[in-house]
Amino acid sequence: MAMRAAILRYIRLPARAQTLAAPRSREWTLLGGSSASRSMSSHGDDHLTKEEVVERVLSVVKSFPKVDPATVTPDVHFQNDLGLDSLDTVEIVMALEEEFKLEIPDLEADKIDSCHLAIEYIHNHPMAS
Amino acid sequence: MSAAAAASTAGYLARRAAQKERVRILYRRALKDTLNWAVHRHLFYRDASDLRERFEANKHVEDLDTIDRMIADAEASYNKWRHPDPYIVPWAPGGSKFTRNPTPPTGIEIIYDYGREDND
């Protein structure tokens, strides 16, 4: 038993000795408050840039069969500018959900009426990928 | 009620707007359900266009009560046909990754001493 304890004592890192001394905590706060505790997690680390979001949203809207690709800009309104139906808007929002792997609640999705709103919503969504 | 008076009152417009919102939300859910049932994309496109035809056929109904009754019937049939195991995005409530790794509460510090006794 003493042999075992001796071996274990040798193998084990003396964790208790390494308390959170001042240099250690300073090191951690250098990473920033938000990533201090989960710096190795891959959860939500693929933040999209605005240009990426705009490009992908426009490509989804342009590939919609009832839309004329030349008239699509980042500020276009689905019903007023593109002449789409409200059901077409629903279909576009579903296509955007599938593209960015989002789950948009029904009431929020109902309010997305134009490209501008869609881009803003997706850009501000923490889980868009 | 005469069509001219009914067409422009605020109550009528509010009711129509509420109905339109219900129709949009119903169409959204029905479309997602169609995708749940028809997993393969070519089948989904076919079923989605059938669904769209059914919605378009009733597009020009004007009477508010008929519209209400049709929406109620459609919601009942949607509830009847809901998929038992729908696809939900993993991080959303109901998905497989939801609350799988919650962020640990701050201010808690774990001392890793691996059960080391004080006598060692």
Side-chain angles (χ1 to χ4, degrees), chain A residues 11-55:
Chain A
I11 293 174
R12 278 178 185 163
L13 299 171
R16 246 205 211 127
Q18 296 172 356
T19 49
L20 288 174
R24 189 60 63 98
S25 62
R26 211 186 303 135
E27 217 176 279
W28 278 352
T29 52
L30 276 178
L31 283 176
S34 59
S35 60
S37 57
R38 292 181 31 113
S39 48
M40 286 198 263
S41 147
S42 66
H43 172 93
D45 60 350
D46 40 3
H47 291 295
L48 298 170
T49 59
K50 193 89 182 248
E51 293 82 31
E52 261 186 47
V53 173
V54 169
E55 200 186 302

Side-chain angles (χ1 to χ4, degrees), chain B residues 60-103:
Chain B
H60 300 288
V61 179
E62 289 294 334
D63 180 26
L64 289 180
D65 296 324
T66 323
I67 297 179
D68 276 338
R69 209 178 323 128
M70 283 203 283
I71 295 179
D73 289 343
E75 283 175 354
S77 77
Y78 162 73
N79 280 325
K80 182 178 156 209
W81 278 101
R82 282 174 72 168
H83 196 279
D85 184 21
Y87 172 73
I88 303 178
V89 172
W91 50 263
S96 58
K97 215 166 133 183
F98 183 56
T99 64
R100 183 183 276 189
N101 287 323
T103 50

